[in-house]
Amino acid sequence: MRPPLDAEPGRRAAVAAVLGLALAAGALLRAAAPCPVPCVCHNLSESLSTLCARRGLLAVPLDVDRRTVELRLADNFIRAVGPPDFANMSGLVDLTLARNGLETLRPLAFGDLESLRALHLDGNRLAEIGPAALRGLLNLQHLSVNNNQLVAVAPAAFADFQLSLEDLDLSYNNLREAPWAGIRGMANLHTLQLEHNLIGTVEPGVFSELARLARLDLTSNRLATLAPEPALAVTPAALALSFGGNPLRCNCELLWLRRLGRDAGELETCAAPPAVAGRYFWAVPEEDFVCEPPLVARHTRHLRVLEGQRAALRCRALGDPEPVVHWVAPGERMVANSSRAVAYPNGTLELAAATLGDAGAYTCIAVNAAGEATARVELRVLPLPHGDGGGAAVGLPGPSDMAAKATGNTTGEEEEEEEKEPGQAVEVAEVTAHSALVQWEANKMAPTAWVYQLQYNCTDDEVLVYRILPGSSRHFLLKHLVPGAAYDLRALDGALDFALGAS
Ligand SMILES: *[C@@H]1O[C@H](CO)[C@@H](O)[C@H](O)[C@H]1NC(C)=O
Ligand SMILES: *[C@@H]1O[C@H](CO)[C@@H](O)[C@H](O)[C@H]1NC(C)=O
Ligand SMILES: *[C@@H]1O[C@H](CO)[C@@H](O)[C@H](O)[C@H]1NC(C)=O
Ligand SMILES: *[C@@H]1O[C@H](CO)[C@@H](O)[C@H](O)[C@H]1NC(C)=O
Ligand SMILES: *[C@@H]1O[C@H](CO)[C@@H](O)[C@H](O)[C@H]1NC(C)=O
Ligand SMILES: *[C@@H]1O[C@H](CO)[C@@H](O)[C@H](O)[C@H]1NC(C)=O
């Protein structure tokens, strides 16, 4: 069927309308470069916006007008960005790359974006921010990288906008450590969001330079304590501080925070110590925020090692908070870590190869916020028989004939004596390369021991050796020892066990 003739003018009008649209588009095209095909572009008040959200994009379009001021690329499938995606966009002010499954920020990806104020990277799959990933963002004010999978942020990653940044959102990531070094100098930072990470420590003093900070969110991390931060101890109105959902240890170290006296009834809860566990932080009275001074629970009293052998001096201290152990060597020298000596956090001081000069009285000092405690450890270094060490000249009582039995080998037995209870003494009286004599006194706490049980094993084979001895025994000779191996020995009398660990 042919259309009726009178339909013709209507069709002509439709064609004219289409033509008019094309002309209008042409006018726009004359002023602006072509808009990327899937996107919409506006040039309002002389600033160009390129809107490409939800367009199924797999990459940043190549033909984005370099003069664009706003670029929206949210909700696409862009897995990686890097040069030249945003090259020459020196007038870009706002860039959104949220919710793309973005995994990679290549170095200098944003290198030309010197005018960028806001960068939205939230809702992606970024695991790390490398040192040059954000380089060139000289005027960045707002950065959101929340809801990613961040485990690492390079210390220098924020260097180019340290003074311009106002809002930083790193919440809902997997950070065990916040990039404190980068945050520290952010003089204009207003809001810092670190909630829902795995952060276990706040670097002391980190907030001291953040004079403008008005909101700090540390909710749901792994913070047990927080060192006193004068910068946070401002009036509640000036700083919104949230730290609920952390395993807070409400002892004297957190008293300063309790004294900020915010409203009771917020979500902050104490996780420890047991006396206040489970109670609302703000509801626990200040006088219940208490610490326990250190107590040296167990330490080496006397240790004999052959010259050249490893010596482990132990000092186990209890207290709340966990005491830090320092060591003072003979001659009042503080022991610092070196190639020869390492002081471990568990209180053990390890000398890699004892020299005759290492012998003497050591002191371990356990310190925490509530006080300190000390213990003495005597180290004897038994000289080797060979002439060059000059060992024989030292003339330590006893050991010279014992060392002679080591038949010229430079290894020997190392035995360490440890006592759990005052009044008990287990001693390794004689050590040779192949044997050790263990002696003890009657246990004053349990004078009627029927039997003693000795157990020992060594690093050489994993076999645990048992010996049952009559209650009247006061010594035992360990034979067939392997030179240079480490031994663990325990003596049990049924009531108390005193352990003798050599390693
Ligand atoms: C936006 O429009 C203004 C004037 O209408 C024009 O001068 C400018 O070049 C346009 N910008 C772009 C990027 O097209
Ligand atoms: C950026 O500008 C430089 C210099 O004008 C030019 O050589 C280069 O091709 C531009 N790059 C892009 C991706 O537009
Ligand atoms: C000494 O080294 C040990 C082991 O590497 C380390 O755990 C400890 O923190 C160090 N101590 C000091 C004071 O640096
Ligand atoms: C202390 O820590 C060191 C290093 O981790 C370890 O070798 C040593 O056995 C520990 N000592 C004790 C008594 O736990
Ligand atoms: C010395 O001890 C080492 C290791 O324990 C062993 O390999 C070596 O054969 C011994 N030398 C002598 C002379 O006994
Ligand atoms: C001795 O055996 C115990 C228990 O199996 C083990 O923990 C310890 O490390 C062993 N000691 C040595 C020196 O092999």
Side-chain angles (χ1 to χ4, degrees):
M1 283 288 283
R2 288 189 63 211
L5 275 179
D6 59 356
E8 205 56 26
R11 196 171 142 205
R12 226 175 270 137
V15 169
V18 169
L19 219 83
L21 211 81
L23 281 174
L28 206 122
L29 283 177
R30 265 197 296 281
C35 189
V37 173
C39 307
V40 173
C41 299
H42 297 304
N43 182 6
L44 299 172
S45 359
E46 304 194 19
S47 83
L48 179 65
S49 296
T50 305
L51 311 179
C52 311
R54 277 181 216 280
R55 300 295 150 133
L57 297 173
L58 299 174
V60 178
L62 296 173
D63 50 351
V64 174
D65 191 312
R66 303 286 130 180
R67 293 165 298 179
T68 196
V69 171
E70 181 184 16
L71 178 54
R72 294 198 202 162
L73 291 161
D75 299 293
N76 285 295
F77 305 96
I78 302 169
R79 289 290 178 78
V81 293
D85 289 338
F86 307 109
N88 297 339
M89 293 190 190
S90 53
L92 190 63
V93 170
D94 196 307
L95 174 60
T96 305
L97 281 160
R99 299 175 301 277
N100 266 281
L102 191 59
E103 287 168 353
T104 309
L105 302 179
R106 296 205 185 94
L108 297 170
F110 309 112
D112 289 349
L113 308 188
E114 61 194 40
S115 302
L116 200 73
R117 298 275 171 80
L119 177 58
H120 307 270
L121 295 168
D122 45 293
N124 282 298
R125 292 199 208 133
L126 295 170
E128 61 173 334
I129 301 180
L134 302 176
R135 192 157 297 163
L137 298 170
L138 300 174
N139 286 291
L140 198 66
Q141 293 176 353
H142 177 98
L143 175 62
S144 46
V145 202
N146 50 299
N147 297 83
N148 275 270
Q149 296 163 5
L150 288 179
V151 292
V153 176
F158 300 157
D160 278 357
F161 44 84
Q162 204 170 36
L163 293 178
S164 61
L165 205 70
E166 295 176 5
D167 294 306
L168 177 59
D169 191 349
L170 293 170
S171 61
Y172 292 90
N173 278 292
N174 300 325
L175 293 171
R176 288 178 187 276
E177 203 181 333
W180 298 120
I183 290 170
R184 183 180 279 275
M186 292 183 171
N188 284 301
L189 199 67
H190 187 268
T191 302
L192 178 58
Q193 290 180 257
L194 295 168
E195 67 269 25
H196 294 275
N197 275 286
L198 306 168
I199 298 167
T201 54
V202 170
E203 199 177 278
V206 72
F207 303 114
S208 63
E209 289 167 43
L210 309 186
R212 298 262 169 90
L213 197 65
R215 181 168 168 220
L216 171 62
D217 197 338
L218 291 164
T219 305
S220 290
N221 275 287
R222 295 204 177 154
L223 293 170
T225 196
L226 198 58
E229 291 281 350
L232 301 184
V234 293
T235 55
L239 175 68
L241 172 66
S242 312
F243 56 88
N246 280 288
L248 297 176
R249 187 162 192 96
C250 297
N251 61 16
C252 66
E253 287 187 306
L254 278 187
L255 186 57
W256 73 273
L257 191 60
R258 175 65 183 82
R259 286 199 172 136
L260 299 187
R262 312 261 156 149
D263 291 338
E266 289 183 50
L267 293 173
E268 289 84 4
T269 308
C270 298
V276 294
R279 293 170 64 187
Y280 289 119
F281 183 85
W282 302 112
V284 175
E286 285 182 19
E287 57 271 25
D288 288 357
F289 282 72
V290 290
C291 286
E292 296 283 344
L295 171 75
V296 177
R298 190 170 171 175
H299 68 97
T300 310
R301 306 238 157 166
H302 303 280
L303 175 65
R304 301 168 180 221
V305 293
L306 279 183
E307 187 185 354
Q309 287 211 296
R310 196 177 71 100
L313 284 61
R314 292 177 186 169
C315 180
R316 174 86 183 90
L318 304 176
D320 182 14
E322 182 95 29
V324 175
V325 173
H326 303 284
W327 284 92
V328 178
E332 307 292 303
R333 290 172 291 118
M334 278 302 276
V335 178
N337 278 352
S338 68
S339 57
R340 291 187 28 24
V342 177
Y344 290 102
N346 63 10
T348 298
L349 171 66
E350 210 173 271
L351 306 177
T355 65
L356 297 176
D358 290 333
Y362 288 72
T363 307
C364 80
I365 308 176
V367 186
N368 74 7
E372 63 176 65
T374 61
R376 255 169 83 92
V377 179
E378 287 284 345
L379 175 66
R380 280 174 72 186
V381 181
L382 311 176
L384 290 170
H386 56 74
D388 55 350
V394 175
L396 287 172
S400 54
D401 62 323
M402 184 216 83
K405 289 183 203 155
T407 59
N409 207 326
T410 55
T411 61
E413 288 314 300
E414 164 196 336
E415 295 283 347
E416 169 187 341
E417 168 190 338
E418 263 183 48
E419 287 180 63
K420 270 179 111 168
E421 303 293 332
Q424 277 189 339
V426 182
E427 199 189 5
V428 179
E430 287 174 28
V431 187
T432 73
H434 302 279
S435 70
L437 180 68
V438 184
Q439 291 182 333
W440 58 93
E441 289 165 11
N443 185 349
K444 295 183 186 83
M445 315 286 284
T448 55
W450 290 94
V451 291
Y452 288 102
Q453 188 184 351
L454 282 182
Q455 301 175 359
Y456 64 96
N457 56 345
C458 81
T459 48
D460 207 51
D461 55 11
E462 307 272 277
V463 183
L464 193 59
V465 181
Y466 289 91
R467 290 282 180 274
I468 304 286
L469 307 171
S472 57
S473 309
R474 294 292 175 264
H475 57 84
F476 183 74
L477 185 65
L478 303 170
K479 287 182 282 196
H480 310 299
L481 300 178
V482 181
Y487 283 83
D488 265 347
L489 182 139
R490 293 172 81 75
L492 303 126
D493 68 358
L496 282 162
D497 72 323
F498 30 92
L500 210 159
S503 45

